[in-house]
Amino acid sequence: MFEHKWKALKRLAAMVGLAVTTALALGLTPASALAAPVILVMGDSLSAEYGLARGTGWVSLLEDRLKAQKFDYSVVNASISGETTSGGKTRLPALLQQHKPALVIIELGANDALRGLSLLSTQTNLRAMLAASRNAGARSLVIGMRIPPNYGQQYTERFFQTFGSAAKEYKAGYVPFLLEHVVTRPEWFQQDRIHPTAAAQPAMLDTVWPHLQPMLKR
């Protein structure tokens, strides 16, 4: 009885091996390997469609552009309105574990300045997120931000340089200013004069895209 079962198991193993060999010969890939690589977006209200209809923000438009240009990526938008670099640093490890992204876009820091948090804290948190992403095997793209000059010229410039400095240190992609093509268009802002309208979202994507596209693989 035992010998009969053993022979049956050996025949089954041989059949499985033959199936795997055939699949490889035909260029077939296990389902787990067919999943599209993930782009994880860690942002604040500028990426979380604050005050906008769902599906009209620049991150949603990014999904559409990826498909239109035949880039096989899925986008996970983990942005939260009001998020700081500290909050992003806290949430990122679990998101890296869950989604295993190929690329992490970090659009955080504006709320740090609005809340008067220290520049050292912002830079430390950005570095921690870049390090965590790198350790998880993901590339990173840092999106920078500028703040109004009423914060003082020295603070304003140091704040702006924080993003480029962190990106350079970790050899990450870098978008200097998300609202570069929006700030000169007051009609593109909501009534709070802080958050862009739906009309501004394509321009925001156009600001990000030239820095993101070279990091993508077809």
Side-chain angles (χ1 to χ4, degrees):
M1 175 69 76
F2 177 79
E3 183 179 355
H4 177 72
K5 289 184 178 180
W6 177 247
K7 289 181 178 180
L9 287 172
K10 289 178 68 177
R11 285 198 298 271
L12 178 60
M15 291 173 63
V16 171
L18 178 61
V20 171
T21 302
T22 302
L24 291 174
L26 293 175
L28 301 179
T29 308
S32 60
L34 290 174
V38 171
I39 297 175
L40 175 65
V41 182
M42 300 290 295
D44 50 33
S45 56
L46 296 176
S47 300
E49 297 185 327
Y50 178 89
L52 304 176
R54 296 290 79 91
T56 60
W58 76 266
V59 178
S60 294
L61 299 181
L62 170 61
E63 294 186 72
D64 297 336
R65 183 168 296 186
L66 289 167
K67 293 176 183 177
Q69 298 202 15
K70 310 300 183 184
F71 286 105
D72 186 24
Y73 285 83
S74 61
V75 179
V76 174
N77 191 356
S79 303
I80 297 177
S81 294
E83 184 70 292
T84 62
T85 57
S86 177
K89 181 189 71 173
T90 300
R91 292 193 298 122
L92 182 57
L95 291 167
L96 291 172
Q97 178 66 29
Q98 179 182 356
H99 299 291
K100 296 177 173 54
L103 178 62
V104 178
I105 298 178
I106 302 174
E107 183 275 301
L108 291 170
N111 289 308
D112 292 38
L114 292 175
R115 298 183 184 187
L117 303 180
S118 73
L119 289 175
L120 178 59
S121 173
T122 299
Q123 189 168 53
T124 299
N125 293 333
L126 287 173
R127 286 172 171 168
M129 284 187 282
L130 288 167
S133 299
R134 184 175 65 184
N135 292 339
R139 303 181 70 188
S140 298
L141 175 68
V142 176
I143 298 181
M145 181 54 57
R146 285 190 177 276
I147 54 177
N150 58 291
Y151 281 80
Q153 183 176 357
Q154 184 178 8
Y155 179 88
T156 299
E157 189 58 30
R158 287 179 59 205
F159 176 80
F160 174 69
Q161 292 175 356
T162 294
F163 301 94
S165 175
K168 182 178 181 180
E169 181 179 349
Y170 284 88
K171 297 180 173 58
Y174 175 50
V175 180
F177 183 29
L178 179 60
L179 303 181
E180 179 181 357
H181 301 296
V182 179
V183 291
T184 58
R185 301 285 297 271
E187 72 276 15
W188 276 1
F189 283 88
Q190 300 177 37
Q191 290 185 351
D192 61 11
R193 301 299 179 190
I194 297 176
H195 297 95
T197 63
Q201 303 302 311
M204 294 165 66
L205 175 58
D206 287 341
T207 300
V208 174
W209 184 251
H211 304 275
L212 174 63
Q213 184 181 18
M215 303 177 71
L216 303 176
K217 297 179 180 179
R218 295 192 184 277

